Amino acid sequence: MAQAELVAERAKTSPKEQDFLPLKGIDHIEFYVGNAKQSAYYYRSAFGFKLTGYAGLETGLRDRASYVLEQGKVRLILTTPLTQDHPINAMLNKHGDGVSVIAIEVDDVERSFRETTKRGAIGVQEPREVTDENGTYRTASIRTYGDTLHTFVDRKNYQGFAPGYRMITKDDPIARPTGLAAVDHIVGNVGWNEMDTWVKWYEEVMGFHLFVSFDDKDISTEYSALMSKVVASGSEKIKFPINEPANGKKKSQIEEYIEWYNGPGAQHIAIATGNIIESVTKLTEQGVEFLKVPSSYYQDLESRVGRINEPVDELAKLGILVDRDDDGYMLQIFTKPVEDRPTLFFEIIQRRGGRSFGKGNFKALFEAIEREQQLRGNL
Ligand code: FE2
């Protein structure tokens, strides 16, 4: 999309009612996993997260176990069911491991729940307040795409993660930090022709506005295509790109995701770092697998994106991609899926002024994904 069109598009959908839903940022991302103890080891030793909290049998929880992992401002919760009849089992059976909750920090849970459900959100958990020796913790949940939830969290009067959790303050001997600093964006995959429905949902229910959109001409290779629109919260602290499949000669990666996840869900979590070369060097050494583009991508890189501060040979060695927009440039790289089903993956991103999502890299990247789809027999 040309810049002028983009600005017009932004103006058209800029927030009208001044923020009926003020959001402070992503509070945490909860994953349902088959074996939280072992998944926690992976996120600690490979991604460098520190174990900071635990809830389970030892803390009086009888039906599930949860691990709290933190690095920079990123907080992940890994939860596994302990009993045969726990409803999370059905989620795991359907989706495999994946993102169950994208929790958002707010000042007023009651109001967030009321304002969103009034506008059409399906309420999943009514506002709840729990007080223990660490203070008062408030939450409420609504449903977004698929089985994914948004939980509103008010923790301003609470010390620690949440009631029922034991805080872990000692050094984590397994965690090997990689400089991951904050969540940049979280992408949702939805079904055919559902993207606009969900963009509208975020606009109407959550007070988000359209930030940028890409059509299938922007995002297509010889074989496959997708469409994407990015919605942002009033403050633009939270950005959620929404993808849907588009027609191509072969199967879109979005279709592949939806087939294996059995429905819409979170496709990737982009985490910002202040030094992508250092972060990706460590992540690679620690066993995180990244998608690779052909070396030809780097041959004329600076003629395409202009001068950059990072040595191109180092970017090429690691497979880091670069894209420029009017505001600056950004560097990005994508992991392979982090579970056996070809579903959730991560993006590592460093912004040097650039506000883009890597439009200039879509083609090279999707060709790399197609090579992986081919290996999986899913193209
Ligand atoms: Fe992304």
Side-chain angles (χ1 to χ4, degrees), residues 185 187 241 268 270 332 334 347 357:
H185 59 273
V187 182
H268 75 264
Q332 64 182 168
F334 296 84
E347 173 182 352
F357 290 81

